[in-house]
């Protein structure tokens, strides 16, 4: 627990490090100060007992760091925020306490996250965000996904050129070919322009102070640096920043300053995102991405690609589930569509009778019948997702919108395909006629984070942010990591039969994602969207969809509190025979591949191939209740919930 002591000690000096003075003091349970840190057992900063490193990155998108047992929910009065790191959460909370909106707090949270967890997010990556504006009654979906360079070809990730069929070096991910045009800053600019109150420049103060004064490396970051050290060593700047002279990773507690990032943040604070997409920073990005140092295959990204990048405001995807309306991201994220399809299938069953057994602070033990039904519904939803969902600006969906995939009668037909006693293993996609699209393999996002916010004005934001794999492409420039988001495309342009893949590389196209930032609303008696009820989302690559589904069912069907809903066992399936049961959870006996665990063995008896690999979800959930808000942060990461505590 030495690492935990380092983090908890550093929390006591966060206010000084961030250069903020807005009434944030050491926690007293009765103090009621805004942004007080939670008491012990509520959201301690680091998991108790690190789990082994994952062996399957498709089901364990980031390094597993254990599980914080018996966390209790945090209750606030008018505003709340949860991010994946306590330093970021406190900085964002102070923005809210000073009168800022959820859009303002998003900017501050993202800038700080880029420093304290560069393995997962930052200005060199992209994001999707859902935003509710209470005064307008509007729900906006912001798309800050990275795009492929204009010079990219359909074989851009497959080989070096049409005449040189060598795989990009040293591998596709660590080459320049994986780098997409970053989008998160343009997304934040648009959200702040539409919904912000605090001046843009002021929102960068905490991150600038942190870059100048430094912060201590957390146990989670230290573990990820150690795992990624050989790849980080190829990049001169990354090596100098994150590694020791002998090539090993800097350990927990090492104090990091980032003068280069301070300079970058100051420029963006003063001149807006244009300082990033044009001028000196843009030139540095192009130089770093196109380098051939260390034998790396260069990117084709250009200054024009950066200068012409645009975030897009898209129509939110809102579908009814029981007594609620759930709003998520449309494509190019497949998250909102696949979550909605899964819930639409499950709406034909009564899950309320299948609540977990022995419910405790950790969410209890799932029933095999519930895991079976939910996993089967996910297989069916993923089957359609895999075949049909991509960037709709390039590849239209069946019928030209998600409506056909989410039609209630169609989903009722899909639900009838579920055998209540035995797993289907692999589901077939629905037949929408001669749609010339093939299905590509699942592509995980290894380096992702999530932010959930509600402000005192009634606004809410849910944003999932990513650099794709842990430390992205391992290219560090001007203090930040460049993403490897283009590896979310299918590297081959067509399937073995020559049918084009929906998610193939095309110039200017956005790769398909599974990010699922989600807003939940009550549904009024007339069927219209009612009051905001919950905010949730998670990192986790292609497994994000499953993490969000289990949380929504926990909240809406099983009436768990938000901490129980996110703490409960991670479970679910993509369209493969494997069903994941998070072995890091105290209710699961993962020894001997789960052979002594009752849930695991019951599922295997139903034909599931069960994996008990530890999961690394990073869920958060904020739920409206009488008197304010109640929130939960995932015990599998470092995040906490803060607000004006009751």
């Amino acid at each position: 627990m030495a690492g935990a002591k380092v983090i908890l000690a550093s929390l006591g000096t966060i206010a000084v490090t961030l250069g903020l003075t807005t009434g944030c003091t050491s926690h007293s349970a009765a103090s009621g100060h805004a942004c007080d840190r939670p008491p012990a057992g509520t959201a301690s900063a680091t998991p108790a007992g690190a789990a082994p490193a994952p062996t399957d990155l498709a089901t364990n998108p980031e390094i597993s760091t254990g599980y914080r047992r018996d966390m209790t929910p945090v209750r606030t009065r008018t505003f709340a925020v949860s991010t994946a790191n306590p330093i970021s959460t406190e900085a964002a909370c102070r923005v809210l306490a000073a009168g800022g909106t959820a859009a303002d707090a998003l900017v501050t949270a993202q800038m700080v996250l880029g420093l304290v967890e560069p393995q997962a997010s930052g200005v060199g990556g992209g994001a999707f965000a859902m935003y509710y504006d209470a005064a307008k009654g509007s729900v906006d979906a912001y798309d800050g996904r990275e795009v492929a360079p204009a010079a990219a070809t359909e074989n851009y990730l497959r080989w070096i050129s049409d005449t040189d069929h060598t795989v990009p070096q040293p591998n596709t991910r660590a080459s320049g070919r994986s780098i997409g045009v970053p989008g998160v800053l343009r997304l934040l600019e648009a959200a702040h322009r539409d919904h912000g109150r605090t001046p843009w420049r002021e929102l960068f103060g905490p991150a600038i102070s942190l870059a100048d004064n430094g912060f201590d490396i957390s146990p989670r970051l230290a573990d990820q640096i150690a795992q990624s050290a050989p790849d980080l060593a190829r990049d001169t700047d990354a090596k100098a920043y994150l590694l020791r002279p002998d090539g090993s990773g800097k350990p927990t507690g090492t104090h990091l300053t980032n003068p280069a990032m301070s300079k970058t943040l100051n420029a963006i604070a003063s001149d807006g995102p244009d300082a990033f997409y044009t001028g000196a920073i843009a030139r540095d990005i192009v130089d770093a991405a196109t380098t051939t140092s260390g034998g790396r295959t260069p990117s084709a990204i250009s200054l024009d690609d950066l200068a012409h990048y645009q975030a897009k405001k898209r129509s939110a995807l809102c579908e009814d589930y029981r007594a609620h309306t759930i709003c998520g991201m449309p494509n190019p994220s497949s998250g909102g569509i696949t979550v909605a399809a899964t819930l639409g299938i499950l709406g034909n069953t009564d899950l309320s009778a299948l609540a977990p057994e022995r419910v405790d602070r950790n969410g209890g033990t799932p029933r095999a019948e519930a895991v079976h039904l939910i996993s089967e519904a996910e297989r069916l939803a993923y089957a359609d997702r895999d075949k049909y969902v991509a960037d709709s600006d390039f590849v239209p969906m069946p019928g030209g919108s998600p409506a056909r995939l989410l039609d209630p009668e169609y989903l009722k037909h899909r639900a009838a395909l579920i055998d209540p006693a035995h797993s289907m293993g692999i589901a077939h996609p629905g037949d929408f006629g001669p749609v010339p699209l093939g299905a590509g393999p699942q592509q995980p996002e290894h380096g992702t984070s999530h932010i959930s916010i509600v402000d005192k004005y009634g606004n809410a934001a849910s944003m999932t942010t990513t650099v794709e794999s842990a430390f992205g492409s391992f290219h560090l420039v001007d203090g930040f990591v460049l993403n490897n988001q283009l590896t979310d495309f299918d590297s081959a342009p067509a399937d073995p039969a020559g049918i084009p893949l929906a998610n193939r590389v095309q110039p200017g196209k956005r790769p398909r994602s599974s990010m699922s930032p989600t807003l939940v609303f009550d549904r009024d008696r007339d069927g219209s969207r009612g009051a905001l009820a919950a905010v949730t989302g998670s990192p986790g690559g292609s497994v994000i969809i499953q993490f969000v589904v289990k949380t929504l069912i926990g909240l809406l069907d099983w009436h768990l509190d938000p901490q129980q809903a996110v703490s409960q066992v991670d479970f679910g399936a993509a369209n493969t025979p494997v069903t994941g049961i998070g072995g890091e959870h105290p209710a699961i006996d993962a020894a001997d591949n789960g052979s002594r665990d009752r849930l695991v063995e019951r599922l295997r008896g139903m034909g599931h191939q069960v994996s008990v690999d530890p999961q690394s979800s990073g869920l958060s959930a904020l739920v409206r209740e009488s008197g304010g808000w109640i929130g939960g942060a995932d015990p599998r990461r470092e995040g906490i919930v803060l607000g004006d505590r009751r």
Side-chain angles (χ1 to χ4, degrees):
M1 291 294 292
K5 292 177 182 178
V6 171
I7 287 290
L8 291 169
S10 71
L11 278 170
T13 59
I14 286 174
V16 175
T17 301
L18 295 179
L20 291 170
T21 58
T22 309
C24 198
T25 62
S26 297
H27 178 75
S28 166
S31 69
H33 285 298
C35 308
D36 281 346
R37 291 182 294 281
T42 305
S44 59
T46 213
T55 56
D56 179 3
L57 288 177
T59 56
N60 297 279
E62 286 192 48
I63 194 167
S64 298
T65 45
Y67 189 94
R68 295 174 284 175
R69 293 174 181 246
D70 300 325
M71 290 172 62
T72 55
V74 173
R75 284 180 162 85
T76 70
R77 289 185 295 121
T78 63
F79 62 83
V81 58
S82 181
T83 81
N85 185 281
I87 301 176
S88 172
T89 298
E90 186 154 353
C93 184
R94 292 176 181 280
V95 171
L96 298 174
T101 66
D104 298 325
L106 269 184
V107 178
T108 295
Q110 175 64 92
M111 296 310 113
V112 174
L113 283 176
L115 284 163
V116 298
E117 53 156 37
Q119 76 274 25
S121 69
V123 296
F128 291 105
M130 298 295 302
Y131 198 93
Y132 172 61
D133 187 305
K136 299 176 182 176
S138 61
V139 179
D140 294 325
Y142 291 94
D143 172 0
R145 186 67 160 166
E146 299 90 335
V147 302
T153 67
E154 63 181 13
N155 290 307
Y156 184 70
L157 301 175
R158 197 178 185 190
W159 48 59
I160 290 176
S161 71
D162 289 340
T163 57
D164 181 356
H165 287 193
T166 305
V167 175
Q169 299 298 311
N171 54 62
T172 304
R173 173 193 168 182
S175 75
R177 294 292 176 86
S178 68
I179 301 170
V181 181
V184 68
L185 277 171
R186 288 297 190 202
L187 180 157
L188 292 171
E189 176 187 43
H192 182 263
R193 180 180 60 243
D194 293 346
H195 308 289
R197 286 180 178 231
T198 307
W200 174 265
R201 179 173 178 79
E202 292 181 19
L203 301 173
F204 286 73
I208 291 169
S209 294
L210 198 65
D212 287 335
N213 299 323
F215 63 94
D216 292 345
I217 292 177
S218 74
R220 182 177 180 82
L221 174 54
D223 288 347
Q224 192 65 68
I225 293 171
Q227 187 182 77
S228 303
D231 292 298
L232 293 168
R234 292 192 185 96
D235 186 272
T236 302
D237 291 340
K239 181 178 180 180
Y241 182 50
L242 297 170
L243 305 183
R244 294 187 287 194
D246 65 0
S248 62
K250 291 181 179 178
T252 298
T254 302
H255 197 70
L256 280 185
T257 59
N258 194 333
M261 189 59 180
S262 175
K263 183 178 179 181
T264 295
L265 291 169
N266 269 291
I268 299 167
S270 297
D271 300 326
D274 285 350
F276 180 91
Y277 289 96
T278 62
I281 297 174
R283 290 192 294 272
D284 290 345
I285 291 171
V286 171
D287 288 346
T290 58
T291 185
T292 58
S293 67
R296 290 180 285 187
T297 302
S299 169
I301 198 169
S302 70
L303 290 172
D304 280 347
D305 289 323
L306 287 159
H308 291 111
Y309 178 86
Q310 292 183 335
K312 297 190 176 185
K313 188 189 290 189
R314 300 188 184 273
S315 297
L317 181 67
C318 297
E319 295 289 324
D320 292 342
Y321 179 67
R322 312 224 193 261
H324 292 86
T325 298
I326 298 176
C327 294
M329 280 300 306
N331 42 340
S333 177
S334 66
I337 294 169
T338 313
V339 168
T342 301
L343 295 177
I345 293 168
L346 292 170
N348 294 280
T349 66
D350 180 11
L351 289 176
S352 63
L354 298 176
E357 300 175 302
R358 298 178 295 280
V359 174
D360 57 8
R361 288 183 177 181
N362 303 313
T365 304
R367 297 176 188 265
E369 296 87 350
V371 174
H372 171 71
L373 289 174
I374 294 165
S375 298
E376 296 297 280
E378 288 171 341
R379 286 184 169 92
L380 290 161
Y382 271 93
D384 284 347
R385 174 257 196 201
D386 293 349
K387 182 167 185 177
Y388 297 116
V389 181
D391 184 346
S392 57
D393 294 340
F394 287 76
V395 180
M397 297 188 67
S401 79
R404 291 189 67 183
L405 292 180
L406 300 177
D407 177 74
E409 285 302 312
Y410 170 68
L411 295 179
K412 185 176 182 180
H413 168 74
R414 298 291 273 170
L417 299 175
I418 297 175
D419 181 339
H422 198 272
S423 176
M424 66 184 70
I426 296 177
H428 296 290
D431 184 1
F432 292 99
V435 181
L437 300 175
Q442 292 289 305
Q443 298 291 337
E445 288 145 348
H446 301 243
T448 307
S449 194
H450 183 79
I451 304 165
S452 294
I453 303 172
V454 291
D455 65 30
K456 67 181 182 181
Y457 312 106
N459 308 313
S462 177
M463 185 173 89
T464 311
T465 172
T466 181
V467 291
E468 211 281 324
S469 297
F471 293 111
S473 64
F474 306 115
H475 291 63
L476 191 75
V477 56
D478 291 348
F480 58 89
V481 169
L482 290 175
N483 69 86
N484 68 304
Q485 207 66 253
L486 300 190
T487 57
D488 267 0
F489 283 119
D490 294 304
S491 59
D495 70 8
I499 299 174
L501 295 176
N503 193 39
R504 64 193 182 276
V505 182
Q506 293 175 269
K509 188 177 182 180
R510 300 172 190 230
R512 181 176 60 202
S513 171
S514 297
M515 291 186 277
S516 308
T518 303
L519 301 175
V520 180
F521 297 87
D522 294 334
R523 194 165 75 251
D524 290 338
R525 290 184 178 180
D526 63 1
S528 62
R529 174 165 51 82
L532 178 70
V535 182
T536 191
S538 181
S542 57
V543 195
I544 289 173
I545 293 159
Q546 299 161 44
F547 296 153
V548 171
V549 165
K550 70 111 184 188
T551 301
L552 291 171
I553 290 170
L555 293 172
L556 305 180
D557 287 296
W558 298 335
H559 306 294
L560 302 177
D561 71 42
Q563 188 59 63
Q564 293 169 322
V566 301
S567 292
Q568 68 174 318
V569 176
D570 282 339
F571 63 84
N575 192 23
T576 78
V578 177
T579 299
I581 300 291
E584 79 292 337
H585 195 281
I588 303 300
D589 183 354
D592 297 328
N593 197 30
S595 61
R596 296 193 294 268
D597 187 89
R598 181 172 175 268
L599 170 63
V600 171
E601 286 305 291
R602 285 204 63 197
L603 289 169
R604 287 174 176 158
M606 300 170 80
H608 295 260
Q609 297 179 21
V610 179
S611 166
V612 291
D613 284 347
Q615 295 296 307
S616 58
S617 56
L619 286 153
S620 61
L622 307 175
V623 175
R624 191 189 77 248
E625 65 173 7
S626 178
W629 293 88
I630 177 173
D634 204 312
R636 300 161 186 86
R637 297 204 183 194
E638 298 170 334
I640 60 174
V641 179
L642 292 176
D644 51 345
R645 295 176 59 80
R646 283 184 273 165

